[in-house]
């Protein structure tokens, strides 16, 4: 496979703590329901999974936000729950509802039955290759997967949860089964992300969306080591011979930043509860940081959005250190963008990040 040269490598440079002319920005869930064109394509596809399973539709919606805003990265359009689906759990999304699995994993028998088959995720690999070609080197493409712990939450609960009662019951009463499930997910996720890298993903991100619901002890015993094993198994060089940064995002992970910085990840994603300056002091620029504007801030008037974005940039501070070396900051929201977000606010946000961050060089 031959690739056209990348025109905008600012995101990759920031993730690897290299010099950048401004702070790059992309938004979690940037392709999604706040965009009318996304809703139109989703209607054509019939359902969310219809969209995700078609490489053509997935390519179309991945590119939609880039046509509206000068974002510095694209993210594969898919979902973290494709992996349990490819273990035979039967994923569906009802209209206006969250995800649901037809089967759950709660005992030995159901754990044994859950066998990952990478061939069932051919549609994702094909989407990655198609999106990479369609981007034509405009910006890099981020691939992603859910962390083993976060996937385990959905597999045990069978859907989203308010209290994680089922998955925590299993974790506390049958830690051996929990570990068995995490082991399977570690293997599956390594295969899955390496297939995305081989197909052309230029960075990969592990979403540990529910790591933050665990106790300190349980996070360090179950969630973090599983993510670390995934990271250790990932390719570092992509299909084009370039370095592929590895990103670890733990929602609610501010308490464990120092431990997360030791996992081998190149960049840590942060939710909005953590101050970036404090995060930087704790990690000493050993990793780049990604985040972390509160997505709900986008409902305030434009002047507030601008002021809050500037606060995030200023809290990270000048990326270049006194000794000439660089820290890395990639601007993002602290979690996915809300479907109710006014589009003009996103345009104002991206412009503010690009303009203000130039004054920090
Ligand atoms: O960021 C992007 O633009 C890439 C696409 C992406 C989606 N899901 C598309 C999506 C990514 C990276 C995800 C990750 C994901 N999926 C996570 C981790 C990130 C996070 O939010 O913490 C999680 C926990 C999921 C599971 C999931 N998928 C839920 C809980 C839901 C329903 C929530 C909702 O907003 O309805 C989804 C569905 C989903 N995944 C949508 C999109 C655009 C909305 C579905 C629709 O169009 O109806």
């Amino acid at each position: 496979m031959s690739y056209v040269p990348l025109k905008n490598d600012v995101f990759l440079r920031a993730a690897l703590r290299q010099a950048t002319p401004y702070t790059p920005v992309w938004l979690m869930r940037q392709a999604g329901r706040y965009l009318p064109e996304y809703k139109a394509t989703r209607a054509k596809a019939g359902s969310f999974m219809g969209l995700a399973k078609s490489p053509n539709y997935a390519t179309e919606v991945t590119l939609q936000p880039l046509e509206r805003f000068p974002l510095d990265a694209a993210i594969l359009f898919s979902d973290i729950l494709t992996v349990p689906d490819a273990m035979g759990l039967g994923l569906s999304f009802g209209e206006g509802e969250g995800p649901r699995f037809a089967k759950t994993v709660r005992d030995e028998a159901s754990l044994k039955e859950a066998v990952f088959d990478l061939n069932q995720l051919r549609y994702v690999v094909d989407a990655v290759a198609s999106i990479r070609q369609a981007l034509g080197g405009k910006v890099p493409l981020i691939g992603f997967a859910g962390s083993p712990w976060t996937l385990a939450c959905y597999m045990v609960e069978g859907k989203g949860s308010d209290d994680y009662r089922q998955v925590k019951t299993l974790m506390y009463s049958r830690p051996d089964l929990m570990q068995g499930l995490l082991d399977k997910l570690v293997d599956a996720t390594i295969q899955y992300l390496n297939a995305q890298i081989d197909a052309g993903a230029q960075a990969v991100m592990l979403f540990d969306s529910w790591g933050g619901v665990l106790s300190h002890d349980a996070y360090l015993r179950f969630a973090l080591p599983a993510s670390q094993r995934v990271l250790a198994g990932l390719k570092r060089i992509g299909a084009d011979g370039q370095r592929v940064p590895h990103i670890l995002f733990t929602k609610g992970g501010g308490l464990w930043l120092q431990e997360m910085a030791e996992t081998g990840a190149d960049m840590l994603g942060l939710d909005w509860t953590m101050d970036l300056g404090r995060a930087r002091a704790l990690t000493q620029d050993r990793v780049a940081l990604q985040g972390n504007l509160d997505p709900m801030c986008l409902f305030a008037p434009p002047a507030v959005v601008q002021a809050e974005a500037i606060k995030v940039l200023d809290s990270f501070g000048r990326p270049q250190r006194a000794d000439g070396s660089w820290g890395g900051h990639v601007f993002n929201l602290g979690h996915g963008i809300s479907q109710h977000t006014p589009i003009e606010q996103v345009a104002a946000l991206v412009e503010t990040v690009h303009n203000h961050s130039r004054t920090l060089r």
Side-chain angles (χ1 to χ4, degrees):
M1 187 61 84
S2 69
Y3 294 106
V4 295
L6 192 53
K7 298 182 188 106
N8 175 353
D9 66 352
V10 180
F11 164 80
L12 293 179
R13 295 185 62 85
L16 296 170
R17 289 172 291 136
Q18 297 166 356
T20 52
Y22 62 86
T23 300
V25 49
W26 70 277
L27 306 174
M28 288 193 267
R29 294 268 172 103
Q30 64 191 18
R33 287 169 296 190
Y34 73 107
L35 294 174
E37 57 271 34
Y38 170 85
K39 283 193 268 196
T41 310
R42 190 186 187 285
K44 273 195 285 174
S47 66
F48 174 76
M49 285 311 280
L51 203 56
K53 288 194 170 174
S54 149
N56 286 338
Y57 283 139
T59 303
E60 184 177 315
V61 295
T62 300
L63 298 184
Q64 284 170 348
L66 300 166
E67 276 146 30
R68 273 188 190 263
F69 319 112
L71 295 158
D72 296 289
I75 180 159
L76 162 69
F77 187 82
S78 189
D79 199 81
I80 63 167
L81 302 178
T82 54
V83 167
D85 191 46
M87 291 174 127
L89 267 65
L91 173 63
S92 62
F93 287 89
E95 187 69 56
E97 276 177 48
R100 261 180 198 281
F101 285 113
K103 294 186 193 165
T104 56
V105 172
R106 294 185 186 170
D107 53 23
E108 268 96 356
S110 49
L111 175 60
K112 203 165 171 218
E113 252 181 59
V115 176
F116 179 64
D117 177 9
L118 182 61
N119 290 322
Q120 289 190 37
L121 296 178
R122 189 80 245 162
Y123 66 91
V124 181
V125 176
D126 290 345
V128 170
S130 158
I131 297 162
R132 177 83 188 258
Q133 289 301 316
L135 279 167
K138 187 176 186 182
V139 291
L141 174 60
I142 304 168
F144 71 89
S147 75
W149 163 253
T150 292
L151 295 182
C153 288
Y154 285 100
M155 293 173 77
V156 175
E157 299 285 343
K159 55 184 179 1
S161 173
D162 293 333
D163 59 6
Y164 303 87
R165 185 163 56 89
Q166 300 290 350
V167 71
K168 287 189 173 183
T169 300
L170 184 81
M171 178 185 79
Y172 285 117
S173 48
R174 290 295 310 271
D176 58 319
L177 272 190
M178 175 52 67
Q179 198 54 58
L181 175 54
L182 292 172
D183 289 347
K184 280 194 168 186
L185 287 165
V186 167
D187 286 350
T189 308
I190 291 172
Q191 289 182 49
Y192 183 48
L193 285 176
N194 281 337
Q196 292 183 33
I197 292 171
D198 286 342
Q202 288 154 290
V204 287
M205 176 153 162
L206 205 52
F207 284 88
D208 191 11
S209 303
W210 308 133
V213 306
L214 288 169
S215 70
H216 180 73
D217 177 64
Y219 178 76
L220 296 182
R221 177 171 172 196
F222 293 105
L224 188 70
S227 289
Q228 178 155 15
R229 282 164 59 206
V230 172
L231 292 165
L234 298 183
K235 301 191 177 199
R236 294 216 155 262
I237 302 295
D240 57 4
Q242 303 293 309
R243 266 291 297 275
V244 176
H246 301 164
I247 312 165
L248 174 61
F249 168 70
T250 301
K251 185 154 177 282
L255 297 165
W256 303 301
L257 274 181
Q258 284 151 303
E259 289 87 350
M260 284 167 65
E262 302 301 320
T263 56
D266 297 290
M267 178 153 74
L268 302 182
L270 294 169
D271 70 29
W272 61 89
T273 58
M274 190 67 188
D275 176 73
L276 282 185
R278 185 184 294 187
R280 195 177 177 189
L282 284 170
T283 55
Q284 288 293 311
D285 285 328
R286 285 197 301 277
V287 286
L289 299 175
Q290 177 171 272
N292 70 342
L293 186 72
D294 181 352
M296 295 307 149
C297 151
L298 292 169
F299 293 95
V304 177
V305 174
Q306 285 172 13
E308 293 292 323
I310 288 171
K311 260 195 235 169
V312 169
L313 289 164
D314 288 349
S315 68
F316 187 86
R318 290 179 183 274
Q320 191 170 22
R321 294 155 68 95
D323 68 1
S325 68
W326 284 70
H329 180 207
V330 170
F331 194 101
N332 205 318
L333 302 176
H335 202 211
I337 188 168
S338 157
Q339 61 172 308
H340 307 293
T341 305
I343 290 175
E344 325 78 73
Q345 301 282 66
V346 179
L349 173 65
V350 173
E351 193 186 331
T352 303
V353 173
H354 283 162
N355 290 342
H356 183 74
S357 64
R358 286 185 187 276
T359 70
L360 297 172
R361 263 69 184 167

